C-alpha cells in the first residue's frame, strides 16, 4: 500500500486557504493512484503532527504544497512529522533542487518519502503557462504577450525569490512569450511597477502563490493599479499605463497542480501508473472549456 | 436461511490453518472438519457435511465473512472503530495494556460487555446507535429482511437523531463532511474541528465501513487513530513544555509563558465548553495543570495549533510589567465590567435581549458606559499612579 500526504499551511482565520489543497488532493484521489490520500496542515486538522498515524499504508509520500524551499519545508514539516535523521542536507539543494529523502517517522514506524515542494518542481513551469492560458482564455497565448511571474520575495529567505526566478528563466528559454519577468512584492523588481518592465501591450500576470487570499486578491491588484479598492473588483484585462493587464489570482488554484503533486511522488518512487496522463487530460479539458475569468475579489 | 457456497469454500480452504473468529471455529485435520460455535459442536465432517453444518450457524458464517473478507485490516484503527460501532469485542486491541480504563462515547468505557454474534445480529436488524462527539452513528444490515452479514452505516448530528430523514440534507460522499464541518450554525469558520459547534441538518446514509471512517475523519481528524492508541495503552502524550520548546520562528517565544499562565490558557481553551477533546497533556511529566482535562470523548495528546497560536499572543502580553492605575467608577460600573468580560468569555453576547438593561453586558449599557467613561480618544480615563 502507498499513501500520499499533501502538506499545506491552512489558516485559523480564512476557510478558503485550504481549498486548493482539497481540490488537488481530490483530483489525485480520483486517479486511484494511491490507496490513501490525506490533506495535512500547519494551522488546520489533521495537523502535520498527527496525519501519518491516520494512514494504514507503510509507504507514505509527503509532498509539501508550498512554493519555496525554506522554513516550512526544511524545518517545520519534517520536525512535526517526526522524521528521524532529517537534515536539509539530505536534499542536497541550492534552493530549487530538492527532490526527496527517505526517512522513518518515529511515532508510527512507517517509511516516509519526504519530497521537495511543488513550487520548485519543473512541472510547475507548465502550470504557470497554463495559468496564463486560462487567464487570457487562449490556449495558444504567447505571441505579442509579456508574462510576469510574481512572488512574495523576502529578505529573510533567499529561496523565496529563487523559485520565481527559476521558472521565469525556464519560460524565457521556451521562447513562447515575447517577454518574461520575475517581479516581487517585497523586493526589487517590484510588481507595483509592472508596466515599466514590459514593452508588450498585453501583460499576463501570474502570482506564484498556493492559495488566493490577502496578497493575491487585495495587495497585488491594488499595487499594480488594477483597482483602487480590491472590494470593487477589477476588469480582466484592466488598462494600466497603456498596457492591458490580465490577472486572475493564485497559480496554486490551477487544476494542473495535481499533476505536480503526482510528479513529486513519482520522482520519489511512487507507482502512479497512468495517473499523470489522466490529470493532464482533465486539466486540459477544464482549461479549454472553462477559462476562469476571475474578475473581482476572489472566489 | 442459506450460506453462500463461496463462503463455505473459503472457510473450507482456510480450515487447514484454523479459523477462529467471534465464536466461530473451523478446523481441518486429515480431510476431516471440526466446526464449533458457542452453542454447538460438529466433528468428523466431510466437505458436504461441513456445508450443511455451516448452514445451521449462518450468522457466524456471514459475520466471519463481513469482518475477515469485507472489512479486513487486522490490527488497524479502522477495523477497531467499526467493531466499536456495533459493540463487538475489539479483539485486536491489546486491551490488557491500557493503563486506565479507555473512555469513549462521552466517558463510557469501550464496551465492558461486548455483544456476542446472535445478540449483535438481533440488534443490527433495528440498527445499533453509537455517539462519537456530536456524531450519531447507526450500524445496520443492508438487507434487514434477509441479512447476509453486510453492514452499512448512517451518520448524523446527535441533535438530529429524532429528525425525519426527509427533513435532512442527505449525503453519500465522505468528502461532503469537509464542507459541513467548516462553518458553525451562524456561518462562522470553525478552525477547531473538535469545537462543540458542529451544525446539524444533514445525514449520510448507506456508507460502507471504509466510507464511514473516512467521513468521521473529515469531521474529527485523527480522532479514530488516537482513540485506538488510547485503547491499546500506547497514546503518546506531548506535554506543554515539550511542545513549546519544539517551536521555532515566531512561535519560539511560547516556552516563556509563565507556569501559572499555562493554567489560565488551559482554562480558557481546553475545557469541555470549548472543545470535545479531553486534555491528557500537562505542564510537564509529573507537573499537572490545575485545570481539569475535562470529560471530552477524544483524547488530546498535545497542545493544538490554535493553543500554540494563542500562547504566542499570551507569551508576548505576559512579558509586560504590571502597573497601578486610578480610575473613577461606581460600584455598579465595576460590576458591569465583570459582566461584560464574562459575557464575551462565555459567548453570551448574542443572547442578551435588546431591551434587557438589567444585564451589564447589554449593548446599550455598554454604550452608555463608553459615553460616560471614555475620553475623546476612545480610551478609558485612567491614570497610572506607580511612577
Amino acid at each position: 500500500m502507498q499513501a500520499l500526504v499533501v502538506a499545506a499551511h491552512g489558516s485559523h482565520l480564512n476557510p478558503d486557504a485550504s481549498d486548493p489543497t482539497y481540490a488537488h488532493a481530490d483530483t489525485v484521489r480520483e486517479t486511484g493512484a494511491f490507496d490513501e490520500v490525506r490533506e495535512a496542515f500547519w494551522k488546520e486538522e489533521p495537523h502535520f503532527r498527527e496525519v501519518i498515524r491516520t494512514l494504514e499504508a507503510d509507504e507514505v509520500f509527503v509532498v509539501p504544497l508550498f512554493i519555496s524551499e525554506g522554513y516550512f519545508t526544511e524545518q517545520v514539516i519534517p520536525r512535526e512529522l517526526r522524521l528521524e535523521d532529517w537534515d536539509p542536507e539530505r536534499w542536497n539543494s541550492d534552493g530549487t533542487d530538492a527532490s526527496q529523502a527517505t526517512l522513518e517517522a518515529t511515532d508510527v514506524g512507517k517509511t516516509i518519502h519526504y519530497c521537495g515542494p511543488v513550487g520548485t518542481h519543473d512541472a510547475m513551469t507548465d502550470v504557470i503557462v497554463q495559468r496564463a492560458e486560462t487567464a487570457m482564455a487562449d490556449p495558444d497565448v504567447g505571441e505579442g504577450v509579456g508574462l510576469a511571474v510574481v512572488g512574495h520575495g523576502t529578505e529573510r529567505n533567499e529561496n523565496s525569490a529563487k523559485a520565481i526566478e527559476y521558472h521565469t528563466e525556464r519560460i524565457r528559454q521556451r521562447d513562447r512569450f515575447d517577454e518574461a519577468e520575475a517581479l516581487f512584492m517585497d523586493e526589487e523588481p517590484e510588481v507595483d511597477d509592472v508596466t515599466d518592465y514590459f514593452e508588450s501591450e498585453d501583460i499576463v500576470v501570474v502570482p506564484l502563490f498556493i492559495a488566493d487570499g490577502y496578497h493575491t486578491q487585495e495587495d497585488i491588484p491594488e499595487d499594480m493599479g488594477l483597482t483602487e479598492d480590491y472590494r470593487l473588483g477589477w476588469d480582466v484585462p484592466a488598462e494600466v499605463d497603456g498596457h492591458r493587464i490580465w490577472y486572475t489570482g493564485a497559480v496554486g488554484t490551477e487544476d494542473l497542480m495535481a499533476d505536480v503533486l503526482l510528479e513529486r511522488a513519482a520522482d520519489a518512487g511512487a507507482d502512479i501508473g497512468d495517473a499523470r496522463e489522466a490529470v493532464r487530460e482533465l486539466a486540459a479539458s477544464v482549461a479549454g472549456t472553462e477559462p476562469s475569468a476571475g474578475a473581482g475579489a476572489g472566489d | 436461511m442459506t450460506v453462500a457456497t463461496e463462503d463455505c469454500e473459503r472457510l473450507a480452504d482456510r480450515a487447514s490453518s484454523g479459523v477462529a473468529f467471534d465464536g466461530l471455529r473451523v478446523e481441518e485435520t486429515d480431510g476431516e472438519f471440526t466446526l464449533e460455535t458457542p452453542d454447538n459442536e460438529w466433528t468428523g465432517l466431510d466437505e458436504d457435511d461441513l456445508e450443511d453444518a455451516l448452514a445451521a450457524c449462518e450468522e457466524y458464517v456471514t459475520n466471519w465473512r463481513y469482518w475477515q473478507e469485507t472489512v479486513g485490516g487486522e490490527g488497524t484503527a479502522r477495523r477497531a472503530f467499526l467493531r466499536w460501532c456495533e459493540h463487538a469485542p475489539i479483539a485486536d486491541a491489546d486491551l490488557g495494556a491500557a493503563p486506565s480504563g479507555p473512555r469513549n462515547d462521552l466517558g463510557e468505557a469501550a464496551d465492558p460487555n461486548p455483544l456476542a454474534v446472535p445478540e449483535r445480529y438481533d440488534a443490527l436488524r433495528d440498527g445499533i446507535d453509537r455517539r462519537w462527539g456530536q456524531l450519531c452513528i447507526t450500524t445496520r444490515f443492508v438487507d434487514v429482511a434477509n441479512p447476509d452479514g453486510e453492514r452499512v452505516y448512517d451518520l448524523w448530528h446527535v441533535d438530529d437523531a429524532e429528525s425525519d430523514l426527509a427533513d435532512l440534507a442527505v449525503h453519500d460522499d465522505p468528502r461532503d463532511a469537509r464542507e459541513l464541518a467548516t462553518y458553525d450554525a451562524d456561518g462562522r469558520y470553525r478552525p477547531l474541528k473538535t469545537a462543540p459547534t458542529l451544525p446539524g441538518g444533514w445525514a449520510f446514509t448507506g456508507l460502507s465501513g471504509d466510507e464511514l471512517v473516512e467521513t468521521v475523519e473529515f469531521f474529527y481528524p485523527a480522532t479514530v487513530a488516537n482513540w485506538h492508541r488510547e485503547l491499546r495503552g500506547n497514546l503518546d502524550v506531548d506535554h506543554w513544555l515539550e511542545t513549546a520548546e519544539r517551536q521555532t520562528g515566531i512561535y519560539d517565544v511560547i516556552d516563556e509563558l509563565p507556569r501559572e499562565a499555562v493554567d489560565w490558557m488551559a482554562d480558557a481553551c481546553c475545557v469541555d465548553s470549548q472543545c470535545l477533546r479531553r486534555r491528557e497533556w500537562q505542564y510537564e511529566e509529573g507537573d499537572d495543570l490545575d485545570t481539569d482535562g475535562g470529560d471530552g470523548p477524544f483524547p488530546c495528546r498535545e497542545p493544538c495549533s490554535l493553543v500554540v497560536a494563542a500562547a504566542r499572543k499570551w507569551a508576548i502580553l505576559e512579558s509586560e510589567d504590571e502597573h497601578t492605575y486610578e480610575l473613577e467608577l461606581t460600584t455598579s460600573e465595576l460590576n458591569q465590567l465583570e459582566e461584560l468580560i464574562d459575557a464575551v468569555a462565555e459567548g453570551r453576547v448574542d443572547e442578551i435581549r435588546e431591551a434587557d438593561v438589567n444585564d451589564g453586558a447589554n449593548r446599550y449599557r455598554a454604550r452608555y458606559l463608553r459615553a460616560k467613561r471614555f475620553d475623546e480618544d476612545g480610551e478609558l480615563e485612567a491614570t497610572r499612579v506607580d511612577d
Side-chain angles (χ1 to χ4, degrees):
Chain A
M1 283 180 83
Q2 58 176 15
L4 175 72
V5 170
V6 185
H9 192 282
S11 167
H12 290 153
L13 298 173
N14 171 15
D16 303 330
S18 49
D19 285 353
T21 314
Y22 289 132
H24 306 317
D26 283 349
T27 303
V28 175
R29 275 188 183 98
E30 277 153 25
T31 67
F34 292 86
D35 301 291
E36 297 166 285
V37 177
R38 197 81 82 235
E39 304 87 347
F41 303 95
W42 171 236
K43 295 281 199 174
E44 297 181 34
E45 299 163 88
H47 192 268
F48 299 149
R49 196 84 183 141
E50 304 205 302
V51 66
I52 304 294
R53 64 185 55 199
T54 71
L55 301 164
E56 289 184 19
D58 288 324
E59 292 277 319
V60 182
F61 297 83
V62 177
V63 182
L65 196 63
F66 283 78
I67 291 299
S68 310
E69 293 172 30
Y71 177 58
F72 277 96
T73 60
E74 291 182 355
Q75 288 189 50
V76 176
I77 299 172
R79 178 188 79 213
E80 299 296 303
L81 292 177
R82 282 167 269 199
L83 300 184
E84 199 173 303
D85 300 331
W86 164 254
D87 185 314
E89 291 299 314
R90 298 284 293 264
W91 270 348
N92 189 27
S93 171
D94 72 352
T96 56
D97 304 330
S99 178
Q100 75 106 28
T102 300
L103 301 139
E104 290 289 313
T106 51
D107 61 324
V108 285
K110 292 180 192 288
T111 301
I112 311 296
H113 302 276
Y114 182 51
C115 304
V118 290
T120 54
H121 194 278
D122 282 356
M124 193 67 199
T125 309
D126 295 334
V127 186
I128 295 168
V129 171
Q130 192 185 59
R131 187 51 155 189
E133 293 172 8
T134 51
M136 296 189 75
D138 176 3
D140 301 317
V141 60
E143 199 179 338
V145 174
L147 171 69
V149 184
V150 179
H152 193 289
T154 166
E155 287 171 2
R156 288 177 300 174
N157 174 13
E158 57 176 339
N159 286 346
S160 171
K162 279 184 185 170
I164 317 299
E165 283 157 354
Y166 179 72
H167 293 295
T168 306
E169 183 54 33
R170 280 170 54 85
I171 290 167
R172 207 175 274 141
Q173 285 171 5
R174 289 181 185 187
D175 221 13
R176 171 170 174 169
F177 294 86
D178 282 8
E179 304 164 273
E181 297 293 337
L183 302 176
F184 301 95
M185 296 183 65
D186 278 4
E187 60 184 78
E188 297 280 337
E190 289 195 358
V191 68
D192 305 41
D193 311 316
V194 57
T195 53
D196 292 353
Y197 296 97
F198 290 91
E199 289 178 10
S200 316
E201 193 176 333
D202 286 298
I203 306 169
V204 58
V205 178
V206 177
L208 203 55
F209 287 73
I210 292 296
D212 271 321
Y214 175 65
H215 290 314
T216 64
Q217 296 298 326
E218 300 180 24
D219 266 13
I220 296 175
E222 288 184 5
D223 288 351
M224 290 194 298
L226 303 187
T227 178
E228 289 199 352
D229 183 338
Y230 73 91
R231 285 166 293 197
L232 302 172
W234 56 87
D235 296 325
V236 178
E239 294 281 335
V240 179
D241 298 336
H243 294 265
R244 280 192 297 268
I245 309 265
W246 302 75
Y247 178 81
T248 60
V251 70
T253 61
E254 199 64 34
D255 294 299
L256 201 52
M257 285 290 287
D259 178 61
V260 190
L261 292 172
L262 286 167
E263 300 234 15
R264 272 285 182 222
D267 291 349
D271 175 10
I272 61 166
D274 56 3
R276 278 191 308 214
E277 289 71 25
V279 166
R280 282 185 166 263
E281 258 174 49
L282 174 79
S285 66
V286 172
T289 56
E290 254 181 78
S292 50
D299 46 23
Chain B
M1 297 284 275
T2 53
V3 169
T5 307
E6 61 190 84
D7 288 344
C8 296
E9 286 170 0
R10 276 199 209 108
L11 274 168
D13 282 350
R14 280 159 213 201
S16 57
S17 50
V19 170
F21 178 75
D22 265 5
L24 176 72
R25 299 180 72 88
V26 186
E27 282 166 20
E28 185 202 346
T29 314
D30 300 330
E32 282 200 347
F33 294 92
T34 304
L35 172 65
E36 191 184 330
T37 69
D39 306 319
N40 283 298
E41 189 179 3
W42 294 263
T43 54
L45 307 171
D46 66 19
E47 205 157 333
D48 289 339
D49 297 335
L50 177 67
E51 190 162 343
D52 291 341
L54 287 171
C57 53
E58 183 198 6
E59 291 181 342
Y60 285 93
V61 175
T62 58
N63 181 68
W64 170 84
R65 201 254 327 276
Y66 179 69
W67 287 107
Q68 303 303 82
E69 304 289 312
T70 307
V71 174
E74 199 96 19
T76 62
R78 168 178 59 92
R79 179 184 175 95
F81 180 74
L82 294 174
R83 302 275 294 166
W84 173 85
C85 282
E86 63 177 59
H87 293 282
I90 304 174
D92 303 331
D94 183 8
L95 293 176
S100 57
R103 293 190 294 176
N104 219 298
D105 214 10
L106 296 179
E108 173 192 339
D111 284 319
N113 300 304
L115 300 178
V117 171
E119 299 163 285
R120 253 189 282 150
Y121 266 54
D122 279 346
L124 283 165
R125 285 175 176 60
D126 297 330
I128 296 174
D129 291 339
R130 298 226 69 173
R131 184 172 172 176
W132 190 258
Q134 289 186 286
L135 305 176
C136 178
I137 299 163
T138 302
T139 309
R140 60 182 168 86
F141 284 128
V142 178
D143 185 346
V144 174
N146 188 18
D148 61 357
E150 292 301 308
R151 279 80 152 163
V152 281
Y153 303 83
D154 307 321
L155 179 68
W156 44 73
H157 195 288
V158 286
D159 293 347
D160 292 327
E162 305 301 318
S163 297
D164 195 327
L165 205 56
D167 296 329
L168 303 174
V170 176
H171 301 265
D172 59 10
D173 184 341
R175 285 177 270 170
D176 292 349
R178 289 194 303 231
E179 187 73 16
L180 296 169
T182 300
Y183 302 94
D184 68 14
D186 295 323
R188 287 175 302 201
Y189 178 40
R190 299 172 67 243
L192 180 65
K193 291 285 204 301
T194 46
T197 55
L198 185 69
W202 46 266
F204 288 80
T205 59
L207 299 174
S208 70
D210 284 357
E211 289 170 337
L212 173 75
V213 175
E214 203 182 348
T215 310
V216 167
E217 281 285 295
F218 280 130
F219 279 117
Y220 296 130
T223 55
V224 172
N226 284 325
W227 162 83
H228 190 228
R229 279 176 171 260
E230 183 176 55
L231 203 59
R232 293 188 299 174
N234 65 355
L235 181 71
D236 47 341
V237 174
D238 280 10
H239 296 291
W240 167 256
L241 266 190
E242 293 168 67
T243 300
E245 287 172 351
R246 198 176 66 231
Q247 305 300 316
T248 51
I250 63 168
Y251 299 104
D252 189 36
V253 297
I254 69 170
D255 60 351
E256 293 165 24
L257 194 64
R259 170 68 179 79
E260 60 183 346
V262 178
D263 256 311
W264 300 329
M265 180 179 76
D267 196 71
C269 304
C270 308
V271 292
D272 290 346
S273 66
Q274 307 301 310
C275 182
L276 293 170
R277 276 182 285 198
R278 166 178 23 94
R279 184 176 50 72
E280 294 291 336
W281 51 271
Q282 303 295 345
Y283 185 72
E284 61 182 325
E285 186 71 40
D287 182 359
D288 287 5
L289 296 175
D290 292 341
T291 306
D292 186 70
D295 295 318
F298 313 125
C300 177
R301 47 165 301 282
E302 85 177 291
C304 69
S305 73
L306 265 175
V307 160
V308 167
R312 175 175 180 258
K313 188 70 192 175
W314 287 315
I316 294 165
L317 296 180
E318 289 295 343
S319 69
E320 290 180 23
D321 294 329
E322 289 190 343
H323 300 290
T324 305
Y325 292 89
E326 194 173 86
L327 71 164
E328 299 285 320
L329 290 176
T330 68
T331 302
S332 291
E333 285 167 350
L334 181 66
N335 293 341
Q336 193 189 343
L337 285 181
E338 293 166 2
E339 286 185 62
L340 277 164
I341 291 169
D342 191 62
V344 172
E346 292 303 320
R348 199 168 62 78
V349 175
D350 290 343
E351 296 162 19
I352 299 168
R353 288 171 294 174
E354 184 95 2
D356 186 4
V357 290
N358 289 323
D359 193 317
N362 170 273
R363 191 169 79 245
Y364 295 121
R365 286 279 303 277
R367 291 177 64 84
Y368 183 92
L369 187 68
R370 183 176 67 175
K372 179 179 174 184
R373 296 296 184 189
F374 283 20
D375 60 24
E376 61 269 21
D377 298 324
E379 291 168 2
L380 197 58
E381 290 185 54
T383 311
R384 195 169 136 185
V385 293
D386 62 348
D387 59 4

